[in-house]
């Protein structure tokens, strides 16, 4: 059974940093594109960042580019999201996703999803 488990969320002040982790099991991790999405209160789920399985490229939403960094450790089946200079607009539930084929920025093309971890940024 494929499982994606996010961790590292919490409450931080504006300008602070968090590092999210997503531990994957039950799949050939190194062959999957890994992505992060988020859903804020009253808003639709949106793309945050993705890392192609081949290492061919990273992808970031304009709203987080320059502040967030996605990385992966294939030996540990783990993907990370380093979040810096956080602001209240980053408050959301963050979801880890795994996909094989398709567009890395499209939620539709991800097959597996974690249950999410809450990130709250206070003013």
């Amino acid at each position: 059974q494929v499982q994606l488990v996010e961790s590292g969320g919490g409450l931080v002040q504006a300008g602070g940093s968090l590092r999210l982790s997503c531990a994957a099991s039950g799949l050939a991790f190194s062959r999957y594109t890994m992505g992060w999405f988020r859903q804020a209160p009253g808003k639709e789920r949106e793309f945050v960042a993705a890392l192609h399985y081949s290492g061919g490229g990273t992808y970031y939403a304009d709203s987080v580019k320059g502040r967030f960094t996605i990385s992966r450790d294939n030996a540990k089946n783990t993907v990370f999201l380093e979040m810096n200079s956080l602001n209240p607009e980053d408050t959301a539930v963050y979801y880890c996703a795994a996909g094989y084929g398709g567009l890395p920025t499209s939620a539709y093309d991800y097959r597996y999803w974690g249950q999410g971890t809450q990130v709250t940024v206070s003013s």
Side-chain angles (χ1 to χ4, degrees):
Q1 181 73 25
V2 173
Q3 289 190 342
L4 304 178
V5 181
E6 302 95 336
S7 62
L11 175 64
V12 298
Q13 294 183 346
S17 299
L18 282 175
R19 190 188 194 194
L20 305 183
S21 298
C22 173
S25 61
L27 78 169
F29 180 80
S30 64
R31 298 188 178 96
Y32 279 80
T33 294
M34 301 300 299
W36 288 95
F37 294 77
R38 67 187 182 185
Q39 186 169 21
K43 295 185 178 181
E44 299 293 327
R45 181 176 57 185
E46 66 175 345
F47 168 75
V48 177
L51 181 58
H52 199 274
Y53 78 95
S54 67
T58 56
Y59 308 83
Y60 295 98
D62 289 341
S63 60
V64 307
K65 191 173 184 179
R67 300 188 298 121
F68 292 10
T69 302
I70 187 171
S71 62
R72 66 192 296 165
D73 186 338
N74 287 340
K76 297 181 178 180
N77 287 5
T78 303
V79 62
F80 305 95
L81 184 67
E82 301 171 0
M83 305 185 295
N84 301 309
S85 301
L86 288 164
N87 59 67
E89 293 183 356
D90 296 315
T91 295
V93 176
Y94 283 71
Y95 297 92
C96 173
Y100 189 85
L103 190 65
T105 59
S106 173
Y108 179 82
D109 291 323
Y110 286 84
R111 179 173 296 181
Y112 304 109
W113 294 83
Q115 294 189 3
T117 184
Q118 177 70 48
V119 172
T120 302
V121 184
S122 64
S123 300

